[in-house]
Amino acid sequence: MNCQDAQALLRTLSCGEATPADRAALEAHAAGCPACRQRWQGEEAWLALVAQRRPAPVSDAALAQARQALHRALAAEPAPAARGGWRWPAFSAGAVSRQWAPRWSPAWAALLLIAGFGGGWWAHHAPSLTAGSPAAAAQVRVQTVEPASAPGQVRVVYDLVRQQQISGPATNPRLRHLLLLAASQPANAGMQLESIAALRPAASQNPVRRTLLAALTGDPNPGVRLEALNALRPLVTANAGVRAALAQVVLRDPNPGLRMQAVAALAQAPRADAGRWLRRLSVQSSDPYVRLNCVAAMQQLDLAPPAAAWGAFTAQPAPASGIQRQ
Amino acid sequence: MDSTSAQDTDAARLRADITALIRAAQAGDPAAFEALVCQFDRGVLQLARRLAATEQDAQEIYQETFLKAYRALHRFRFECAFSTWLYRIAANTNLDYLRRRAVRKELPASASGEDGAAPFPDPADRAPGANPEQLLLSGEIAARLEAALAGLNPRERLVFELKHYEGMKLKAIGDILATSEETAKNSLFRATRKLRAALADLHAAAPALAALRPEPGTMPEEV
Ligand SMILES: [Zn+2]
């Protein structure tokens, strides 16, 4: 290889597209050519300089904010051209209105819940508030949630036009509604935890379960996600949506403790379902401890782990990423 | 290796899921569109944050990208990967933003004053385990680099970001910009030339930088 070839390779290198073979060829040439060796060092110094710029990664909070704003903007959009099947229901953030019939396509549930649309999701699927006019309902803000004096009862203080409070069991529809509202407000994690704890007995009801699933897969606070996971645990045997959401937690939750809890919860599913999910996760997860845990759980259930799971302990699958790289 | 075929299966499953979501969204299912958004939006926001001057601008670019995608979704014909289609929209939205800013920068009144929103925190503040001296060094370099990047024309800027900070191949960048790999490469070289000229003093005066990367002879096989 001559110096001209070497410089072509250096250009490829500065594009970040040099192969190991390119590097080996460069190395062979640079060993006997001080001029090219110096040029190479110059390229490497340049790339090092470029690498000094590392913008902070996108936080979950920033993403949630963007999604909520997008949801509001979409609500104001006319139905797409030539479609006209539906319209985005209008809503304002954090508000509740009676006009939205819950609309839910189970097939997309798991995917949608992976990241959760936060307040947007909540408003979109919120059941109607029974009392008051829609205009008044739009002003509801939950202030506090705390256990009431009677066992199994909870007290919620909220603002409508003026401050009010209501106590009773979480199965009371109006109370339940306020608890759901409070459980979906990431601004106040303490209140979220109280609300989720209070909602536990009602976890099998559709709107409660949806809110818990949204918290499990989308809440920025790991404590809230764990509380939601525990509230959903009893549903693992009966509900496929809960199992799918748990699997998403195993694959995507940034908190390793939660990932393990989700594996343990999935292992409590009926044997065939547990086997299916654990088998998949033991190969798909990018976290070796998760893969190990899945295999251990399968062995406890007398299920054979897939051969690929063992290989996967050494080979690291690529983490799921938003951008598809070619 | 077995894990490779498992990954292939996963990729195939993901593609099938995405296709089903697109069809459902085109048929008017709002949950499907939101699910699609969730699949790709972190990358879209990340790119916008790298190019935008403020967090608020980044959020606006994000929103505009997905609104455009929503309005144009019925025209998506599966002729390319959905991610390529979406990133094409994101790229154009970012380019529009950079062009608007370039125009604004020429007006003396707005040359220095930003929109009141805080710029991104200095990334060096967050570099874990860096010693203070190095922190100072990288903070200063990052600021200089940021200023030099702002001096590029929008297209060069975008190509440089996609290449060096999104880690995309030139071929993919060409696809996104609806141009050839060769054209993308030329944009990258022009950007690199300008940046190196703008940072020549830093580049020459910081042999320490070279030490941040291993010597050529001991180079690990990854870039
Ligand atoms: Zn040479």
Side-chain angles (χ1 to χ4, degrees):
Chain A
M1 191 172 68
N2 60 31
C3 292
Q4 214 175 343
D5 298 332
Q7 283 178 43
L9 283 182
L10 285 175
R11 277 194 295 277
T12 309
L13 183 94
S14 90
C15 293
E17 300 199 356
T19 62
D22 291 339
R23 286 182 175 281
L26 259 178
E27 217 163 293
H29 175 80
C33 179
C36 283
R37 192 158 61 233
Q38 198 177 355
R39 286 190 198 104
W40 188 359
Q41 278 166 354
E43 287 300 330
E44 292 294 348
W46 166 247
L47 290 173
L49 192 152
V50 169
Q52 290 299 302
R53 178 172 173 261
R54 286 181 301 264
V58 172
S59 68
D60 289 344
L63 197 61
Q65 189 190 341
R67 286 175 180 173
Q68 284 178 31
L70 174 64
H71 190 98
R72 284 195 293 278
L74 285 169
E77 279 285 305
R83 300 286 144 192
W86 57 276
R87 263 190 61 88
W88 288 82
F91 87 98
S92 59
V96 187
S97 161
R98 55 172 51 238
Q99 67 202 2
W100 310 313
R103 121 164 230 143
W104 189 246
S105 324
W108 315 129
L111 267 176
L112 179 56
L113 287 171
I114 289 167
F117 252 73
W121 180 88
W122 153 257
H124 196 53
H125 300 284
S128 60
L129 189 69
T130 46
S133 68
Q139 304 304 316
V140 172
R141 287 282 180 283
V142 178
Q143 300 296 346
T144 61
V145 174
E146 57 195 17
S149 41
Q153 304 226 329
V154 64
R155 177 170 55 243
V156 175
V157 177
Y158 62 100
D159 288 337
L160 201 56
V161 177
R162 58 197 166 73
Q163 202 170 80
Q164 304 187 29
Q165 66 169 24
I166 175 173
S167 305
T171 44
N172 171 325
R174 196 157 159 217
L175 233 164
R176 190 189 73 184
H177 190 85
L178 289 165
L179 290 171
L180 287 172
L181 186 56
S184 325
Q185 289 179 354
N188 189 336
M191 197 164 78
Q192 279 180 290
L193 292 173
E194 285 289 356
S195 307
I196 291 173
L199 282 165
R200 252 187 208 219
S204 62
Q205 296 174 3
N206 279 342
V208 177
R209 193 179 67 245
R210 283 184 208 135
T211 298
L212 292 173
L213 285 169
L216 172 65
T217 50
D219 198 278
N221 185 316
V224 171
R225 298 201 298 276
L226 179 62
E227 192 71 26
L229 189 152
N230 286 330
L232 287 164
R233 210 183 273 269
L235 304 184
V236 170
T237 43
N239 192 293
V242 170
R243 294 195 289 272
L246 285 168
Q248 294 308 332
V249 171
V250 174
L251 289 178
R252 317 238 167 154
D253 199 289
N255 185 304
L258 264 163
R259 297 198 292 268
M260 296 306 166
Q261 292 281 344
V263 170
L266 274 173
Q268 292 163 0
R271 192 165 174 274
D273 292 311
R276 205 162 40 241
W277 280 115
L278 293 170
R279 171 174 281 270
R280 216 168 124 179
L281 296 170
S282 69
V283 180
Q284 252 177 289
S285 172
S286 56
D287 176 346
Y289 294 103
V290 163
R291 300 200 294 271
L292 202 59
N293 256 13
C294 287
V295 168
M298 291 183 76
Q299 285 173 334
Q300 286 216 331
L301 292 167
D302 271 338
L303 292 162
W310 298 110
F313 290 129
T314 45
Q316 184 95 345
S321 157
I323 299 186
Q324 190 183 324
R325 281 163 187 167
Q326 278 109 13
Chain B
M1 201 77 187
D2 279 319
S3 61
T4 317
S5 62
Q7 277 174 48
D8 289 349
T9 319
D10 290 345
R13 191 165 28 224
L14 184 65
R15 268 197 303 277
D17 286 350
I18 298 287
T19 302
L21 282 174
I22 295 165
R23 291 199 193 285
Q26 285 178 328
D29 183 339
F33 184 73
E34 290 196 0
L36 265 179
V37 170
C38 286
Q39 290 296 307
F40 299 100
D41 65 344
R42 192 178 283 271
V44 169
L45 184 59
Q46 183 168 295
L47 177 63
R49 291 182 87 209
R50 293 216 168 102
L51 288 154
T54 66
E55 178 74 44
Q56 195 190 337
D57 287 355
Q59 294 258 343
E60 279 168 20
I61 293 170
Y62 167 100
Q63 176 160 322
E64 205 179 320
T65 298
F66 284 109
L67 283 176
K68 283 183 191 164
Y70 173 70
R71 291 173 194 143
L73 190 65
H74 65 282
R75 293 201 298 271
F76 179 71
R77 296 272 179 264
F78 297 91
E79 282 152 359
C80 60
F82 182 75
S83 59
T84 303
W85 183 81
L86 181 64
Y87 274 85
R88 201 170 283 169
I89 296 175
N92 283 325
T93 310
N94 278 292
L95 283 175
D96 286 347
Y97 167 84
L98 291 171
R99 286 179 190 131
R100 279 199 307 272
R101 260 188 87 75
V103 171
R104 234 189 318 157
K105 256 191 289 188
E106 285 161 13
L107 306 172
S110 59
S112 61
E114 282 305 333
D115 307 337
F120 295 131
D122 183 348
D125 290 346
R126 302 181 177 213
N131 70 44
E133 202 176 320
Q134 195 175 331
L135 211 67
L136 192 68
L137 178 74
S138 32
E140 190 192 330
I141 291 170
R144 285 285 309 277
L145 188 52
E146 206 69 54
L149 282 165
L152 296 178
N153 82 36
R155 207 177 166 80
E156 293 162 357
R157 170 84 191 266
L158 183 63
V159 170
F160 194 85
E161 295 276 351
L162 291 173
K163 177 71 241 178
H164 285 289
Y165 299 109
E166 296 292 320
M168 286 190 184
K169 294 270 194 206
L170 285 166
K171 168 86 177 63
I173 297 172
D175 286 347
I176 283 172
L177 295 176
T179 180
S180 66
E181 177 175 355
E182 205 49 39
T183 307
K185 195 182 206 172
N186 286 336
S187 294
L188 180 68
F189 282 142
R190 269 197 310 279
T192 305
R193 206 160 40 234
K194 287 184 190 175
L195 292 172
R196 286 178 87 146
L199 301 169
D201 59 322
L202 258 186
H203 195 199
L209 276 174
L212 293 178
R213 285 172 85 90
E215 283 290 299
T218 60
M219 197 66 59
E221 296 188 343
E222 52 89 28
V223 157

